[in-house]
Amino acid sequence: MSIKPYYRSENLDFTLAKGNCLALLPNINFQFKMIFADPPYFLSNGGISVQSGKQVSVNKGAWDKSRGFEKDNEFNRQWLSLCREKLTEDGTIWISGTYHNIFSVAQMLNELGFRILNCITWAKINPPPNLSCKFFTHSTEFILWARKNKKVTHYYNYQLMKEINGGTQMRDLWSLPAIAKWEKSCGKHPTQKPLPLLARIILASTKEDDWILDPFTGSSTTGIAASLLNRRFLGLDQEESFLQLSKRRREEINDLKIRFEYRDRIMKYSDKPLQEVLELHADVPYFGIDLPVAD
């Protein structure tokens, strides 16, 4: 059985499907080289934060509220188990989080037979201030990188990561920006990730034309980065407004001027320019295996 696309780009490099990933994933008869997941952090607890200099609630929606330790653990086990089935044997998965959810995710990865490769600390160079002034400013998130099988090796573009890190081995501490104003040109998403972050993840663990899955696609930063880097993408989400935002973002980069601009912005956060990696192939269609989705 296949799934019905909500949206597909003209060159078929970017596909969206509407629904809860727990319901959609079993119906995908396809495996992906890489998965990036930005699952609920379970931090919508009535607190406050800062966005664009204004005080805002940290509440993202009912989907981000904790249902208690056992139910949160079981949810992580369910979606990770389904994602494991959709990875190629040498595939890898990246999961973002904070202390609210990342320990649960790590536990489930181990229990399900993944091998955790790294825990990346993403240090935001422009974090929001701490309004209470009673504890340290929250300026980091964690990203777990794990491979499907403990005994099957994975792809890692070691040389490229070394080159863009100025000729030395890239460490697991990444100083990259939080979401910037230019990335909100098509609308806002409460947990949107920055393009430079997803670009580095994709370059590190995939090759051109590889298929990438995001089960909690939100505004589809994963998919936009994948398109800019000549990969192919499927994003799942149950929120109509998020899917519409994702569609607008993908159609925005059909404009070659914007596509070039976004690639330039991605390159800004590398010590070595990535012109060779980011060559423009806008007029070259994608060939090879197509994702089996129903028309």
Side-chain angles (χ1 to χ4, degrees), residues 42-271:
F42 307 127
L43 53 70
S44 291
N45 57 8
I48 57 174
S49 183
V50 173
Q51 286 184 4
S52 303
K54 297 180 181 180
Q55 181 174 306
V56 297
S57 170
V58 300
N59 291 346
K60 308 297 189 295
W63 51 269
D64 191 50
K65 291 184 178 180
S66 172
R67 296 181 297 161
F69 177 77
E70 292 184 359
K71 289 185 177 180
D72 291 349
N73 257 6
E74 182 56 28
F75 171 73
N76 285 329
R77 180 191 295 275
Q78 287 179 331
W79 72 261
L80 281 168
S81 178
L82 291 171
C83 280
R84 190 174 189 276
E85 296 174 4
K86 304 309 169 188
L87 276 175
T88 59
E89 291 306 300
D90 60 348
T92 60
I93 184 170
W94 302 73
I95 309 106
S96 62
T98 60
Y99 69 85
H100 302 83
N101 71 320
I102 207 69
F103 301 114
S104 170
V105 168
Q107 179 183 340
M108 294 305 110
L109 286 171
N110 282 316
E111 291 186 9
L112 290 168
F114 289 89
R115 178 185 173 185
I116 297 177
L117 302 168
N118 283 111
C119 179
I120 305 295
T121 300
W122 166 29
K124 302 174 186 178
I125 60 178
N126 55 339
N130 170 18
L131 296 179
S132 72
C133 301
K134 294 181 179 179
F135 43 81
F136 302 110
T137 299
H138 296 294
S139 61
T140 62
E141 292 188 32
F142 304 108
I143 306 170
L144 292 171
W145 185 32
R147 73 185 189 199
K148 179 177 180 178
N149 291 305
K150 293 183 177 180
K151 296 183 178 180
V152 178
T153 191
H154 60 286
Y155 175 73
Y156 172 48
N157 198 336
Y158 167 81
Q159 191 60 39
L160 176 61
M161 292 297 104
K162 183 177 178 181
E163 288 177 3
I164 68 174
N165 196 46
T168 60
Q169 289 186 338
M170 184 169 288
R171 302 178 182 180
D172 59 3
L173 175 63
W174 295 359
S175 296
L176 291 169
I179 188 71
K181 185 176 181 180
W182 63 270
E183 299 184 74
K184 302 176 184 178
S185 58
C186 295
K188 297 180 180 180
H189 184 277
T191 64
Q192 186 171 328
K193 294 295 180 287
L195 272 170
L197 176 69
L198 267 299
R200 181 175 294 184
I201 286 171
I202 289 170
L203 288 171
S205 55
T206 65
K207 300 177 183 179
E208 285 198 357
D209 288 335
D210 279 346
W211 272 102
I212 297 169
L213 170 69
D214 190 330
F216 307 96
T217 200
S219 63
S220 294
T221 298
T222 309
I224 301 304
S227 179
L228 293 172
L229 298 169
N230 301 321
R231 275 71 168 170
R232 295 180 285 181
F233 168 78
L234 171 65
L236 313 177
D237 210 289
Q238 59 187 352
E239 298 290 337
E240 177 88 17
S241 59
F242 296 165
L243 292 169
Q244 282 294 315
L245 172 56
S246 295
K247 177 182 176 182
R248 291 194 298 272
R249 295 188 75 195
R250 176 59 187 85
E251 293 184 344
E252 179 187 48
I253 60 172
N254 286 333
D255 184 320
L256 296 187
K257 181 179 178 181
I258 295 176
R259 195 174 185 89
F260 271 122
E261 177 187 344
Y262 284 5
R263 287 180 168 187
D264 286 342
R265 290 180 182 274
I266 289 173
M267 287 190 286
K268 178 182 176 182
Y269 297 98
S270 301
D271 289 336

